């Protein structure tokens, strides 16, 4: 009974956090009208990973509470993508991205081996998205327009999903993905906090 309560709490809290996870980042971009420090490549890779992951879960009829947040995250990532393209002056590229993502999503479920292969690569894709963001931060040394709150919430949701996956499906591919994502999200978060602190110190000087 206690484990069931804990599972429900983990599922509910993850869903609740994911409903607003990208909002801080969206608001920061809208206020600054600048994408400094925010990696477009990271967002595109993250979106790809999300689409593969939720398609895999649905294909194998996993319990909806274990992946319900992903359609919400995909919608928020789409809004972020449109904002980044808008502030970069390349909004017309949104049509190309739409065709690529929709076409790729349809392709995933054509054959079982395709979705299995995509899922085996999903962790690498998602990890690459974090490294792309880290590289962007290292290069610009500016985390001014990157929301630490969004990355902190992302870290929590991955930690919660380690628990829910362990007690429900036990899928090792999924479990490894969440462990890797938790570590990398924490790395990005600490990097953001470092550069924000460094930037604040320079302003005070």
């Amino acid at each position: 009974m206690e484990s069931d309560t804990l599972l429900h709490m983990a599922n509910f809290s993850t869903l609740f956090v994911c409903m607003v996870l990208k909002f801080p980042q969206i608001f920061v971009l809208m206020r600054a009208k600048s994408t400094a420090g925010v990696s477009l490549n990271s967002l595109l890779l993250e979106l790809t990973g999300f689409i593969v992951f939720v398609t895999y879960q649905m294909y194998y009829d996993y319990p909806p509470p274990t992946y319900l947040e992903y359609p919400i995250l995909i919608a928020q990532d789409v809004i972020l993508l449109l904002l980044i393209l808008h502030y970069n002056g390349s909004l017309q590229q949104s049509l190309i991205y739409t065709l690529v993502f929709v076409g790729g999503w349809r392709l995933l479920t054509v054959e079982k081996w395709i979705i299995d292969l995509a899922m085996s690569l999903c962790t690498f894709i998602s990890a690459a998205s974090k490294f792309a963001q880290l590289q962007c931060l290292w290069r610009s040394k500016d985390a001014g327009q990157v929301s630490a709150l969004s990355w902190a919430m992302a870290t929590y949701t991955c930690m919660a999903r380690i628990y829910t996956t362990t007690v429900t499906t036990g899928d090792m591919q999924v479990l490894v993905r969440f462990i890797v994502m938790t570590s990398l999200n924490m790395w990005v978060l600490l990097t953001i906090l470092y550069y924000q602190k460094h930037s604040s110190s320079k302003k005070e000087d």
Side-chain angles (χ1 to χ4, degrees), residues 59-199:
Y59 186 85
Y60 284 103
D61 292 322
Y62 282 177
T66 62
Y67 63 84
L68 203 55
E69 70 269 20
Y70 280 88
I72 300 170
L73 288 172
I74 289 169
Q76 293 177 61
D77 266 0
V78 169
I79 294 171
L80 264 178
L81 176 59
L82 291 173
L83 283 173
I84 291 173
L85 292 175
H86 172 67
Y87 292 130
N88 287 348
S90 51
L91 191 58
Q92 65 274 11
Q93 293 180 13
S94 60
L95 180 59
I96 299 172
Y97 288 124
T98 301
L99 292 173
V100 170
F101 278 116
V102 172
W105 173 64
R106 297 292 295 175
L107 180 65
L108 284 173
T109 53
V110 170
E111 294 285 348
K112 180 180 179 296
W113 68 268
I114 297 177
I115 187 63
D116 287 342
L117 176 63
M119 186 58 198
S120 68
L121 297 172
C122 188
T123 299
F124 296 103
I125 294 169
S126 297
S129 78
K130 313 305 177 188
F131 280 114
Q133 181 58 62
L134 283 167
Q135 186 180 39
C136 185
L137 289 168
W138 293 333
R139 188 170 57 246
S140 67
K141 292 181 171 54
D142 179 11
Q145 314 314 326
V146 186
S147 172
L149 181 55
S150 283
W151 284 95
M153 291 193 289
T155 303
Y156 166 76
T157 58
C158 285
M159 290 173 65
R161 281 305 179 212
I162 292 173
Y163 172 74
T164 61
T165 302
T166 302
V167 300
T168 52
T169 65
D171 190 312
M172 190 53 64
Q173 276 196 100
V174 176
L175 194 57
V176 168
R177 179 183 183 276
F178 283 127
I179 292 171
V180 172
M181 291 306 99
T182 298
S183 303
L184 292 178
N185 281 338
M186 182 65 73
W187 190 1
V188 175
L189 174 61
L190 292 174
T191 304
I192 293 167
L193 293 174
Y194 170 79
Y195 283 124
Q196 286 181 347
K197 183 179 180 182
H198 187 67
S199 177

Side-chain angles (χ1 to χ4, degrees), residues 46-66:
E46 180 180 75
L47 195 51
T48 302
F50 284 167
I51 291 171
V52 169
F53 186 77
V54 73
T55 305
Y56 175 86
Q57 298 267 10
M58 293 172 69
Y59 186 85
Y60 284 103
D61 292 322
Y62 282 177
T66 62

Side-chain angles (χ1 to χ4, degrees), residues 32-43:
K33 293 181 171 54
S34 166
T35 62
V38 181
S39 170
L40 174 61
N41 289 335
S42 174
L43 183 62

